[in-house]
């Protein structure tokens, strides 16, 4: 029985570490505290988790060259509370500065930078699953801009997670990568956690956002699907690349990375 309990704790620690980087350590600390207090573990973990999330990790992360992205800002904010709660909203200072300067350039347009997965608070090379490259503070996923049913700009998004709601159900590369048996290419469609709004891509404002990001010399590359690059009139921008079949589709979000 003790072995099964220990094994259960080990599995949970691995899961929390993979999901949040910090959660496994917080679980271990909560176990020691609960032993010292003789119980109440179910209360200790969530309280300790929030204390670490809101008060401890942000200043410590700065010592590791990572900064927390805004959560309650009007112009830069997460798609939902899950991303900051899971410690997935950290970037290096240069990327944060790039996002802030891009927002400033777009202040006269109805554009918000709504981010999805960025990076964990600590250590280069620590994988932020399921991404292949979000491990050095230099990458972030940003949502597209959309139009509502009246064809007016809206800050709403077509899926709860921000991922998986493709502009088109199929494209040349989605079919090509499927033929080549890269099964993961189309996988984000299972990560929507629900599609909630009937929206269409706001090509004008999405193009303005991408151009603002590209105007900063720190931008190394942007990933979107090739057909969108053409449809948005961005064919002459060499920093907009095709990500390859080993990654996942990028006609549901923008992948930005800096030098």
């Amino acid at each position: 029985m003790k072995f099964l309990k220990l094994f259960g704790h080990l599995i949970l620690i691995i899961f929390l570490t993979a999901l949040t980087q910090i959660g496994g350590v917080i679980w271990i600390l909560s176990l020691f505290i609960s032993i010292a207090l003789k119980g109440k573990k179910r209360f200790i973990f969530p309280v300790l988790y929030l204390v670490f999330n809101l008060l401890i990790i942000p200043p410590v992360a700065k010592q590791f060259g990572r900064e927390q992205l805004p959560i309650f800002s009007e112009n830069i904010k997460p798609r939902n509370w899950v991303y900051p709660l899971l410690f997935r909203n950290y970037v290096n200072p240069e990327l944060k500065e790039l996002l802030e300067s891009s927002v400033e350039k777009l202040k006269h347009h109805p554009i918000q930078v709504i981010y999805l997965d960025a990076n964990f608070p600590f250590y280069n090379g620590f994988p932020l699953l399921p991404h292949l490259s979000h491990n050095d503070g230099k990458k972030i996923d940003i949502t597209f801009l959309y139009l509502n049913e009246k064809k007016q700009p809206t800050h709403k998004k077509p899926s709860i997670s921000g991922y998986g709601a493709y502009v088109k159900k199929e494209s040349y590369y989605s079919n090509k990568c499927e033929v080549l048996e890269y099964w993961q290419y189309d996988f984000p469609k299972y990560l929507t956690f629900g599609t909630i709004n009937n929206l269409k891509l706001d090509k004008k404002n999405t193009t303005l956002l991408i151009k603002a990001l590209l105007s900063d010399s720190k931008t190394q590359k942007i990933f979107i699907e090739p057909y969108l690059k053409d449809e948005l009139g961005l064919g002459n921008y060499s920093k907009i690349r095709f990500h390859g079949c080993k990654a996942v589709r990028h006609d549901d979000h923008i992948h930005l990375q800096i030098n």
Side-chain angles (χ1 to χ4, degrees):
M1 191 68 179
K2 288 185 178 180
F3 172 78
L4 289 177
K5 183 177 280 190
L6 181 62
F7 182 73
H9 284 304
L10 180 61
I11 293 298
L12 188 56
I13 289 167
I14 293 172
F15 173 75
L16 289 172
T17 301
L19 185 65
T20 70
Q21 190 181 52
I22 311 300
V25 174
I26 298 174
W27 182 259
I28 293 172
L29 288 175
S30 69
L31 289 176
F32 283 114
I33 294 172
S34 66
I35 292 172
L37 297 179
K38 298 180 180 180
K40 299 183 180 180
K41 180 172 58 184
R42 65 181 179 274
F43 300 112
I44 292 170
F45 176 73
V47 171
L48 196 62
Y49 191 97
L50 287 176
V51 169
F52 268 74
N53 190 283
L54 298 174
L55 301 176
I56 297 177
I57 297 302
V60 175
K62 287 187 177 182
Q63 306 306 313
F64 288 79
R66 305 279 174 91
E67 294 193 15
Q68 187 183 46
L69 289 172
I71 300 174
F72 304 108
S73 167
E74 182 62 27
N75 296 318
I76 303 176
K77 58 185 179 181
R79 171 66 186 100
N80 52 53
W81 56 266
V82 171
Y83 295 101
L85 188 62
L86 298 182
F87 298 96
R88 290 171 170 250
N89 65 327
Y90 286 82
V91 296
N92 68 17
E94 292 77 17
L95 180 48
K96 185 177 181 181
E97 181 183 335
L98 185 155
L99 295 174
E100 291 171 343
S101 65
S102 297
V103 164
E104 180 63 23
K105 295 171 187 175
L106 297 166
K107 63 182 179 181
H108 298 300
H109 300 277
I111 294 175
Q112 291 178 328
V113 172
I114 307 296
Y115 63 84
L116 307 172
D117 276 333
N119 308 265
F120 285 136
F122 307 120
Y123 303 116
N124 290 343
F126 192 100
L128 187 141
L129 300 175
H131 303 277
L132 298 176
S133 64
H134 289 232
N135 59 9
D136 57 6
K138 298 180 179 181
K139 284 92 175 182
I140 189 170
D141 290 340
I142 301 170
T143 64
F144 292 144
L145 284 303
Y146 293 92
L147 301 173
N148 60 23
E149 293 179 346
K150 297 181 180 179
K151 297 183 179 181
Q152 297 173 333
T154 178
H155 295 317
K156 293 181 179 180
K157 307 300 174 184
S159 73
I160 292 175
S161 70
Y163 289 106
Y166 306 133
V167 175
K168 293 182 179 179
K169 290 184 178 181
E170 294 184 352
S171 69
Y172 170 79
Y173 281 101
S174 68
N175 292 327
K176 178 181 178 180
C177 294
E178 182 179 354
V179 169
L180 294 174
E181 298 184 353
Y182 288 98
W183 62 270
Q184 85 290 338
Y185 194 75
D186 199 36
F187 189 75
K189 68 183 180 184
Y190 301 110
L191 301 177
T192 63
F193 297 105
T195 53
I196 52 176
N197 296 300
N198 182 22
L199 306 173
K200 290 188 176 181
L201 179 67
D202 183 346
K203 294 184 179 181
K204 176 184 175 181
N205 285 316
T206 297
T207 300
L208 287 173
L209 172 58
I210 293 175
K211 286 183 176 180
L213 298 172
L214 288 168
S215 67
D216 195 303
S217 61
K218 292 187 292 290
T219 296
Q220 181 187 47
K221 62 181 74 171
I222 285 177
F223 292 152
I224 58 174
E225 289 292 315
Y227 78 84
L228 279 179
K229 181 179 180 180
D230 294 334
E231 290 188 7
L232 297 178
L234 298 169
N236 293 327
Y237 289 86
S238 61
K239 289 185 177 182
I240 301 178
R241 316 273 181 83
F242 174 55
H243 39 277
C245 288
K246 292 182 180 180
V248 298
R249 290 180 64 165
H250 283 72
D251 50 349
D252 58 344
H253 70 278
I254 300 163
H255 171 95
L256 167 68
Q257 62 187 68
I258 64 171
N259 295 306

